[in-house]
Amino acid sequence: MEIEGDGGPAVPLTPGPPKVRTVLGTLLVQANQVVTVDTLVTELWRDAPPRTVSTTLQVYISQLRKLLDAAAPGRGRDLLLTHARGYRLAVEEGGLDLAALEDLHRRGREALAAGDHRDAADLYRRAAALRRGPLLSDTPHGPLLESVATQLAEAESTALAHRIHADLQLGRHHELIGELRTLTARYPLREELHEHLLLALYRAGRQAEALQAFAALRTHLVAELGVEPGPSVQRLHGRILTGDPGLLRTPEPAAGGPATPRGPAAEPPDVRAGTALPAADPAFTGRGPALALVEEFLRNAPAGAFVAIAGQPGVGKTALALEAAHRSGPAFPDGRLFLDLQPEPGRPLGAVEAVTALLRRLGVRPAAGAGAGELLDTWQQELTGRRLLLVLDNVDSEAQLRPLLPGTPGSAAIVTGRRLPVGLGGIRPVVLDVPDPAESRRLFAAVAGHGREAAEPEAVTELLELCGHLPLAVRIAGAQLTARPHWSAATLVERLREERTRLGELRIGGLDARAALVRAYRDAGPVLRWAFRLLGLLPAGPFGPAAADAVLGLPRSETTRLLDELVDDRLLVAGPEQGRYRLPELLRVLAVERLADEEGPAEAAAAVERLCTEYARAATQVTAVLTHGLSADGARWDTAQLRPSDWFTRERDALVRAVRQAHGYGRWAAVVRLAGALRGHLEAHADWGAWARTHTLALDAARRCGDRAAEGRLLRSLGDLAWEQRRPAQAEEHYELARRITEETGDRAELALTLVGMAELRCDRGEFGAAAELLAAAPDVAEPRPRFEVRRALALLALAGEDHLGALAHFTACRDLALALHDRRLESFARRAIHALHGDRPAAARPVEFRPGVWRLPRPAPYVLR
């Protein structure tokens, strides 16, 4: 790190304390962006910040402001701005080497894409001259700086390979051989550098050395990783073996002047040989229906038509397009051209840049100073009479794509992008979703090897689920296990289970799952990004518009519009069931991550409270439908929807997660309300685990907000749960606490229900007299439900005493009360009990239904040993 003041270089101005350097470095790598306090704290202290973290960070910021003011008196202090969530360091254009480096890399890529190798080589050399060592090597790195340093090192390595490629195209192979031998020794696994070395040696007339270099590479890869060199290097090796003269041609001379052939012919590059199309993916697998659809279209493509492959980031759009292009070679004898229309994220090629690059791939040099209209006319003229296939990757917009599409018969195009360019005529859409688990497993085996999959089938299953079956993530996981043979699949699973760090773990070499997903997120507009973040509050799996209405706090029409736009942007998937949506797994993880970083806790908490309110309303409605056949507002359940009896099964995980989220955000009343609405569903489904989790959290919430009535109800509910689980001591404890609170609050109905529970415990122990005393003490209340429960307990007590007439009278009263309640479940219970009392078997031999759906079998006769 080096700071230059207004007077020029001033090394003493660089911060001395390492922590201050870390703060400055973190602000610089995100220059002109707000860096949150949480990010700075994590960068400085990772997971162990000091107790005085806020004060200490403010001291560091103050020291930086003084330093900046010393470097630029009168204005430096104003460069470091305070925001609500963190700090922003304002850096002017040209004020940061890192920004200059990235700009040179971008311009170098553009020049390379346009076929201007001389300019590309010069730009990459200027970028390399800025490098004085690894990024901030004199500064302690936290997770952010470490990530940026790794990305920058990879970008510089890629830029180096691109510069060498440009130099080779300029005929500088003799000068490159020494440099390439050094680089291949330093980066023995970078096959692209080895490929450049082979080509440079061959062009220098050293064919034998080129073959020796290939043999050395193959030996190293087999010994270290157990893999063969990739298909691109192997193809080059084959051409060197046969002495292919086409390898000797260089499009441009080493000095100015017209291009000169280095071989026997001076024709343009032979696109038929596939030189303009990247190699097919050797790990490509599956996608049978989509691939067949694309191939069928290409065989019969009418003039002006094209295939558009769309899908979420990382789903394999480019791999599918290239596989189809390679398989369709015979249909396009005049060649197949590939062009990435967005070689740098967020900066798509303009129409002029794209057309210029395509013309150069055909060996056509546009006239100097040609305007946009002339270039476009030249492109369409060159297509006339040809049978070409274009693969246009990463399409950004319809305006970018329209002038590139062939309008003449014989040629066709495959375009890829997240959005479908539906405004253009002749589109044949193919929308990719993540592959099914079996296909995902085959892809993993193709990357990591079948031995991995066979050795740890269960771990691989979980690994693929954690990757959301997204092909990019599956490839990364497979590549990590290949590169780290000491890891098992279970090792990687353990690292990926933590949602907070999962995306950061899915990165190796030039493959980065988070980077691909973040690009898609940043391409969306501000409102869509906001909606995407809040939808991360919903649980994994499908959700309906009502849940989305709740978290967004919007009317249905506005919510539906946003959901449709998110689907169009491939940040959301519309499910096969009408009105259901799904956040793909890794996009959901990204939404949760972005929510934590970009939204204040108050907005997230309010959204969770709205969600709990909606879930409580739905739970109450379903209860009313199941009980009375009518919803809470008197409307009948729509039979076109999910059956009411299946609602809880589908929504169960979402409901439990909502209770946990609301508790985490301190929305105590929402926790109590939703847990209370779920009580009947949890009991009816015997979901003891969810019952315990939700009601324990709700009990804590009731105590925190001082709701004594709710505390009594929840203690009684937990007592009922313990009774059903046959844990009498815990049930007794909960009931006793509930009794004290209900007596204190004067809630007579709740007191009656609590005393019923305590009486049932006494019956279990055979203490029938004590049970009768508790039931006699139960208040006589007007509410039908407590009266039903008291009568039910009295009937069971009568049965225990073999008073069948008394039991019949009590169960008959239960039936009448259930009819008054319009509760079909309780009515059925009472009628079953009455029917059982009229049966032929003696009472001791009959199973007894203690509560609706809860039966106790008769005790078997004791064994007699003879």
Side-chain angles (χ1 to χ4, degrees), residues 394-408:
N394 286 322
V395 171
D396 178 68
S397 66
E398 294 174 7
Q400 179 196 40
L401 178 61
R402 183 179 288 106
L404 309 181
L405 292 172
T408 55

Side-chain angles (χ1 to χ4, degrees), residues 481-662:
L481 294 178
T482 299
R484 298 162 182 148
H486 57 288
W487 279 16
S488 66
T491 303
L492 188 52
V493 165
E494 191 63 33
R495 298 172 74 98
L496 295 182
R497 279 188 182 135
E498 176 55 56
E499 278 192 5
R500 187 173 53 87
T501 57
R502 187 184 306 171
L503 290 177
E505 293 285 350
L506 286 171
R507 181 183 66 206
I508 188 169
L511 299 176
D512 188 337
R514 173 191 270 120
L517 299 176
V518 167
R519 281 198 295 272
Y521 168 74
R522 288 178 177 165
D523 281 349
V527 176
L528 285 186
R529 291 200 299 270
W530 167 81
F532 174 77
R533 291 192 296 267
L534 285 183
L535 291 175
L537 291 168
L538 297 172
F543 61 88
D549 291 343
V551 294
L552 299 179
L554 297 173
R556 176 61 54 83
S557 60
E558 185 66 13
T559 297
T560 302
R561 184 183 65 79
L562 289 176
L563 294 177
D564 288 341
E565 289 185 20
L566 286 168
V567 170
D568 292 341
D569 269 9
R570 312 303 162 195
L571 293 174
L572 190 66
V573 174
E577 187 181 346
Q578 182 66 28
R580 301 287 288 175
Y581 300 87
R582 174 176 55 85
L583 268 175
E585 175 61 13
L586 293 185
L587 282 169
R588 184 188 64 78
V589 173
L590 177 68
V592 172
E593 178 187 281
R594 294 293 89 207
L595 180 74
D597 287 347
E598 299 182 39
E599 293 293 341
E603 180 158 9
V608 168
E609 183 163 8
R610 291 193 299 269
L611 181 62
C612 285
T613 300
E614 165 56 26
Y615 281 147
R617 182 203 65 78
T620 303
Q621 181 190 29
V622 174
T623 299
V625 172
L626 292 171
T627 302
H628 313 305
L630 297 173
S631 65
D633 58 4
R636 292 197 173 274
W637 181 268
D638 183 356
T639 55
Q641 301 181 44
L642 183 77
R643 287 189 307 165
S645 57
D646 294 335
W647 175 84
F648 178 79
T649 302
R650 186 182 73 179
E651 302 292 345
R652 178 239 188 224
D653 291 341
L655 298 165
V656 174
R657 185 173 188 262
V659 171
R660 188 168 61 248
Q661 283 178 314

Side-chain angles (χ1 to χ4, degrees), residues 26 33 57 60 87 161 200 210 253 267 273 287 332 429 432 472 511 578 609 632 653 665 678 681 691 812 841 843:
T26 305
Q33 302 178 49
L57 181 58
Y60 294 160
Y87 301 93
E267 69 270 17
R287 297 297 191 192
F332 301 97
L432 293 183
L472 173 60
L511 299 176
Q578 182 66 28
E609 183 163 8
D653 291 341
Y665 281 110
L678 295 179
H681 297 280
W691 189 348
T812 301
R841 282 184 295 173

